[in-house]
Amino acid sequence: MKTLIVDALKLEDLSPDDIDAAEPLFGDTGLGLDSIDALELGVAIRKTFGIKIDTVTEDVRHHFASIDNLAAFIRAQQGNAQE
């Protein structure tokens, strides 16, 4: 997931090891991503994992809050697709 974020968002100043999986992805703390980054990340996740991401809701904001949350969301979506 960290590699996907670095590659998809072209974060040349960071390596995957520089990112704490629990830190916030958006806002003034943590990674500091913005809304454009969120769109690009959503596209990369859809292409890479083949999952559907609904329009922006509080649930989606929660899922995109950190790498840990995103990974749990992707695992859950993949599990739902297999059922």
Side-chain angles (χ1 to χ4, degrees), residues 4-11 26 33-48 53 64:
L4 174 69
I5 290 171
V6 169
D7 291 346
L9 302 180
K10 298 171 182 63
L11 301 177
F26 299 92
L33 303 180
D34 62 22
S35 59
I36 300 299
D37 295 323
L39 292 171
E40 291 177 2
L41 182 56
V43 169
I45 289 170
R46 282 192 294 271
K47 286 181 178 178
T48 302
I53 300 172
F64 275 70

Side-chain angles (χ1 to χ4, degrees), residues 8-64:
L9 302 180
K10 298 171 182 63
L11 301 177
E12 296 155 357
D13 298 341
L14 289 177
S15 77
D17 292 335
D18 295 332
I19 302 171
D20 178 348
E23 76 180 340
L25 292 176
F26 299 92
D28 296 332
T29 61
L31 210 50
L33 303 180
D34 62 22
S35 59
I36 300 299
D37 295 323
L39 292 171
E40 291 177 2
L41 182 56
V43 169
I45 289 170
R46 282 192 294 271
K47 286 181 178 178
T48 302
F49 298 102
I51 61 173
K52 181 178 185 288
I53 300 172
D54 294 325
T55 57
V56 177
T57 64
E58 283 304 312
D59 283 343
V60 171
R61 283 189 179 101
H62 172 75
H63 298 315
F64 275 70

